[in-house]
Amino acid sequence: CMWTLTAIIRDILKDKVLPKAGVLKKLLTPLDAVLEGFYNSILCHHFDSHHYTSAYSEAANNLISFIDLLEALLASRIELEVPLRCQRVLFLKVSYVLNCISSSVHYLFKKKFIMLLKKCILYKSREDSVSGSVSLQKPCLSEDVLALSNGVLQGVSLTWLNQIPLGEKTSYFGGSEPHPGDTAHSGPDQTLLRALSLIVLKALEFKSQSSATEAEVK
């Protein structure tokens, strides 16, 4: 069901004829509370279970489908003047995602969630077609980005960053295992390191811009 809904949302966003706002609203409004419930229940799991330490289990497959759905909901948000709750929940309840990232889930899930957080903090709202951040003029957007920033900064102050592995092997095209006899030194995952750095920097930026007093900024 999640895969089907994700595919439908992506197809709507790609269509150049459909009135996207109306179609998305008609599709998502009846599912709004359901999708927020999914977010709460799926991300409230104890991810230290062995089901999530592999990228190939049924539970892992469900989690990947859910991350893809969250990404599609984020991309669809730009089409509605007033976003639905299911399009805002990732911003408003980011602590659920932070807890998943710092758990013992497979590295693939950590990376997918971190790259999704990067899209949120930049509000890169369309896959492969929109880059950078959009203005914070739309209703709820300032509030949502600030809520996301507060959640990230609270996590950072609680040593959340210290619990995130940055990978131990050099990445290779088609896999992560070096060829026999390759003496290249392994290092951190530079893509993930850049994304994490950007998330924290942008969170600091939004927080300082919204702070009323100099003391709050400090």
Side-chain angles (χ1 to χ4, degrees):
C1 289
M2 289 189 292
W3 185 91
T4 303
L5 182 57
T6 301
I8 291 171
I9 294 171
R10 286 174 173 170
D11 283 347
I12 292 171
L13 294 176
K14 290 176 185 176
D15 197 292
K16 296 181 179 179
V17 179
L18 283 175
K20 297 175 186 176
V23 175
L24 285 167
K25 194 168 185 178
K26 188 173 182 180
L27 172 69
L28 295 176
T29 299
L31 298 172
D32 199 21
V34 175
L35 291 174
E36 184 176 3
F38 271 7
Y39 185 91
N40 295 336
S41 60
I42 290 176
L43 294 184
C44 274
H45 271 303
H46 295 291
F47 286 105
D48 293 327
S49 161
H50 69 277
H51 295 299
Y52 296 96
T53 55
S54 165
Y56 304 104
S57 66
E58 182 179 354
N61 192 43
N62 291 337
L63 186 56
I64 288 174
S65 295
F66 184 63
I67 296 172
D68 290 341
L69 176 57
L70 288 176
E71 192 168 355
L73 289 170
L74 174 66
S76 69
R77 172 178 173 142
I78 199 172
E79 300 295 340
L80 301 185
E81 192 64 34
V82 180
L84 299 171
R85 181 79 181 181
C86 64
Q87 296 168 311
R88 302 179 63 200
V89 67
L90 183 56
F91 293 82
L92 302 178
K93 298 183 178 180
V94 70
S95 61
Y96 289 38
V97 170
L98 301 184
N99 290 337
C100 178
I101 292 170
S102 61
S103 72
S104 61
V105 295
H106 191 275
Y107 186 72
L108 170 67
F109 308 127
K110 297 175 188 282
K111 188 164 185 174
K112 282 182 74 71
F113 267 128
I114 288 168
M115 300 314 289
L116 181 57
L117 285 182
K118 177 188 167 186
K119 286 190 174 185
C120 289
I121 205 79
L122 293 176
Y123 200 32
K124 291 175 69 175
S125 54
R126 282 190 193 276
E127 287 181 18
D128 302 327
S129 62
V130 174
S131 61
S133 55
V134 299
S135 66
L136 302 181
Q137 302 304 314
K138 285 199 170 185
C140 306
L141 187 52
S142 295
E143 176 188 339
D144 290 358
V145 173
L146 181 59
L148 179 72
S149 300
N150 284 333
V152 168
L153 294 176
Q154 286 170 11
V156 170
S157 69
L158 296 172
T159 68
W160 172 71
L161 285 174
N162 295 347
Q163 303 172 53
I164 303 173
L166 292 176
E168 298 176 358
K169 298 176 181 177
T170 306
S171 295
Y172 289 81
F173 188 80
S176 59
E177 295 290 345
H179 293 291
D182 194 336
T183 57
H185 294 289
S186 62
D189 183 331
Q190 298 294 335
T191 301
L192 193 68
L193 188 57
R194 285 193 297 270
L196 280 169
S197 301
L198 191 57
I199 289 167
V200 176
L201 286 170
K202 294 299 286 186
L204 282 168
E205 179 186 354
F206 288 129
K207 179 65 175 174
S208 62
Q209 287 175 348
S210 65
S211 297
T213 67
E214 187 177 346
E216 285 182 347
V217 173
K218 289 182 178 179

